[in-house]
Amino acid sequence: EPEVTQTPSHQVTQMGQEVILRCVPISNHLYFYWYRQILGQKVEFLVSFYNNEISEKSEIFDDQFSVERPDGSNFTLKIRSTKLEDSAMYFCASSNTGGIDEQYFGPGTRLTVT
Amino acid sequence: AQSVTQLDSHVSVSEGTPVLLRCNYSSSYSPSLFWYVQHPNKGLQLLLKYTSAATLVKGINGFEAEFKKSETSFHLTKPSAHMSDAAEYFCVVSDTGFQKLVFGTGTRLLVSP
């Protein structure tokens, strides 16, 4: 069964450093998403991406964040200058048609900012 | 704005007994509702979804949920719990036509032998 994969599973970085989280969505999917879950809190939407552009973003997704689909398979989330409060589990998801269609989630990348 | 409230942070049951995980939603539009499950160190897996078809929705692993518009509820049930059901369960809402999912705070299901 096709699945969303994410690398790395755990990333430790120092405050102020740039990090790139990588995701490989399901191959025929067209809509891509990032969510995050701070320890002990709910899963929060960050951004959705379709047709090579951001279709929706949350207030969390400020100028420090960016997303990119650099080739036909990868989908990345970049944090330019990490803060302690960026420590969280980051989930990538993809869906075939967007809207009410099911989103398939990856296993997550745990980001720890020290 | 759409939101969901999961009424219990933890639910404990014995193996073989029924499971009830409660969820209430708030939405301005006709909502799509989902239940996702997260096992330790695993991604979020879809259990079932409601998208304005039948109000009683059957999902994987024997779970089902009933959409009740009058009560704005979407409770998750299973007749008989199994040890492998122990996990975190998330009630999720998505307004029709919008892409983002809005998650509840989660309910941790504990199953004892």
Side-chain angles (χ1 to χ4, degrees), chain B residues 9-109:
Chain B
S9 60
H10 293 81
V11 169
S12 295
V13 300
S14 299
E15 192 174 22
T17 64
V19 175
L20 170 64
L21 305 183
R22 298 181 295 166
C23 172
N24 287 101
Y25 71 90
S26 172
S27 176
S28 304
Y29 301 92
S30 178
S32 296
L33 292 157
F34 309 80
W35 277 97
Y36 279 83
V37 61
Q38 185 180 28
H39 291 274
N41 301 316
K42 298 283 188 182
L44 295 153
Q45 180 186 21
L46 181 72
L47 277 180
L48 49 80
K49 66 179 179 181
Y50 165 78
T51 55
S52 76
T55 56
L56 183 62
V57 182
K58 294 187 184 299
I60 61 172
N61 300 334
F63 284 94
E64 62 181 38
E66 186 171 7
F67 174 74
K68 292 187 177 180
K69 188 174 182 179
S70 60
E71 299 176 9
T72 60
S73 69
F74 189 59
H75 301 334
L76 182 70
T77 60
K78 182 174 181 178
S80 176
H82 192 272
M83 295 295 291
S84 61
D85 294 328
E88 186 94 19
Y89 291 79
F90 294 94
C91 183
V92 181
V93 66
S94 174
D95 280 345
T96 304
F98 292 86
Q99 296 171 10
K100 73 176 186 182
L101 300 181
V102 177
F103 283 72
T105 49
T107 298
R108 182 165 297 279
L109 177 64

Side-chain angles (χ1 to χ4, degrees), chain A residues 35 48 55 91 100 102-103, chain B residues 32 36 38 43 46 99 101:
Chain A
Y35 294 81
S48 59
S55 48
F91 293 104
I100 62 174
E102 172 186 353
Q103 293 181 22
Chain B
S32 296
Y36 279 83
Q38 185 180 28
L46 181 72
Q99 296 171 10
L101 300 181

